[in-house]
Amino acid sequence: MIFIQLILAHLLGDFILQPNAWVSDKENKKMKSKYLYLHVLIHTVLSFISLWNLELWWIAVLVGVSHLIIDAAKLYFQNIKTKKRWFFIDQFLHIAVIAGVSFYFDEFNFDFLKDHNFLKIIVAIVFLSSPSSIIIKTLLSSWTPAPETQTNIQTESLSSAGKYIGILERLMVFTFIMVNHWEGVGFMVAAKSVFRFSDLAQAKQRKLTEYVLIGTLLSFGIAVLTGILIK
């Protein structure tokens, strides 16, 4: 399958065979960096080798040229604040080119989009992300956790970490249910209990502990109910 072959070449070229020194040189010198062109050459050669078909040489060239254009755009448009965003944009565009080639050879069709089960799963995944976070936040809005009073407990937290942890745990619980591995849900509960509630116990803040516990149970409960409804 052309898609899998080109994805393998992409992973090898972008992550395995590209040292950090090359990345730094490209970011500093941009189009003047010799490593940019060496990187593109490696991608072209890897794509050709992965396809192993002389008649498909043009695909390897297409992948190489598109890789140069996308990487060059990334180097000129990204800055310190948008570097992470451009990393994902860059990867998305590379994969989009590969997918386009695969689509040209009729390797992909979109009949699965008409499958009601597929659509239900997509709806469930979307619901378990931000909508569920907003629902939980609204349900907990009548309670306010106790203010931080302990000076010997580290209370700093990553920005929006709780939101993303909640989304990830709901998606994982949903996945476990969909593949009929309910024991994974128990593992998730146990793991979060160890890492989260042990810190809360040390802080000796009963209201905060109850607040987090209610939020956690709501999050897990919503994921479980969604999984059951989809099943």
Side-chain angles (χ1 to χ4, degrees):
M1 188 176 183
I2 290 177
F3 181 78
I4 299 299
Q5 292 167 306
L6 292 179
I7 285 293
L8 174 60
H10 174 74
L11 294 175
L12 289 173
D14 243 22
F15 299 99
I16 306 299
L17 299 179
Q18 182 176 211
N20 291 331
W22 291 16
V23 177
S24 298
D25 190 81
K26 290 192 299 180
E27 290 177 347
N28 292 328
K29 299 179 181 179
K30 296 181 172 54
M31 294 292 289
K32 294 181 180 180
S33 173
K34 63 181 180 181
Y35 295 115
L36 172 62
Y37 304 99
L38 181 57
H39 175 65
V40 170
L41 177 61
I42 289 175
H43 266 283
T44 305
V45 172
L46 286 173
S47 298
F48 183 79
I49 293 174
S50 69
L51 294 171
W52 204 250
N53 187 336
L54 289 176
E55 295 181 358
L56 299 179
W57 63 269
W58 61 273
I59 295 180
V61 174
L62 174 63
V63 169
V65 172
S66 66
H67 206 97
L68 175 61
I69 295 172
I70 294 169
D71 275 18
K74 172 190 172 186
L75 292 172
Y76 279 100
F77 287 111
Q78 74 176 7
N79 54 48
I80 296 177
K81 293 183 179 180
T82 62
K83 188 174 182 179
K84 180 171 66 174
R85 182 191 310 163
W86 269 101
F87 169 80
F88 290 106
I89 293 174
D90 172 79
Q91 292 302 313
F92 171 79
L93 292 175
H94 290 317
I95 295 174
V97 170
I98 295 173
V101 172
S102 301
F103 182 74
Y104 175 81
F105 285 93
D106 292 328
E107 289 190 340
F108 293 144
N109 61 68
F110 297 96
D111 290 341
F112 66 91
L113 293 175
K114 301 176 183 178
D115 186 353
H116 290 172
N117 290 328
F118 173 79
L119 291 176
K120 287 192 293 184
I121 291 174
I122 294 299
V123 170
I125 290 174
V126 173
F127 170 71
L128 292 173
S129 58
S130 293
S132 291
S133 297
I134 295 172
I135 291 172
I136 293 171
K137 183 178 180 180
T138 302
L139 290 172
L140 294 176
S141 61
S142 58
W143 295 299
T144 303
E148 304 291 350
T149 57
Q150 302 293 325
T151 57
N152 61 332
I153 300 297
Q154 183 177 355
T155 58
E156 292 185 0
S157 177
L158 298 175
S159 177
S160 301
K163 173 185 175 181
Y164 295 115
I165 289 173
I167 292 174
L168 289 173
E169 72 185 14
R170 286 191 294 275
L171 292 177
M172 291 180 69
V173 168
F174 178 73
T175 301
F176 285 134
I177 294 174
M178 294 305 296
V179 297
N180 290 317
H181 281 286
W182 284 83
E183 65 274 13
V185 179
F187 170 78
M188 288 285 298
V189 174
K192 186 163 186 180
S193 298
V194 170
F195 288 106
R196 182 61 167 158
F197 297 118
S198 60
D199 290 339
L200 291 172
Q202 292 178 23
K204 297 180 180 179
Q205 297 183 25
R206 185 186 182 98
K207 288 184 178 180
L208 179 60
T209 302
E210 292 173 342
Y211 180 87
V212 173
L213 180 59
I214 293 172
T216 298
L217 292 176
L218 281 172
S219 181
F220 277 88
I222 289 173
V224 170
L225 289 175
T226 303
I228 292 173
L229 287 173
I230 297 299
K231 293 276 285 184

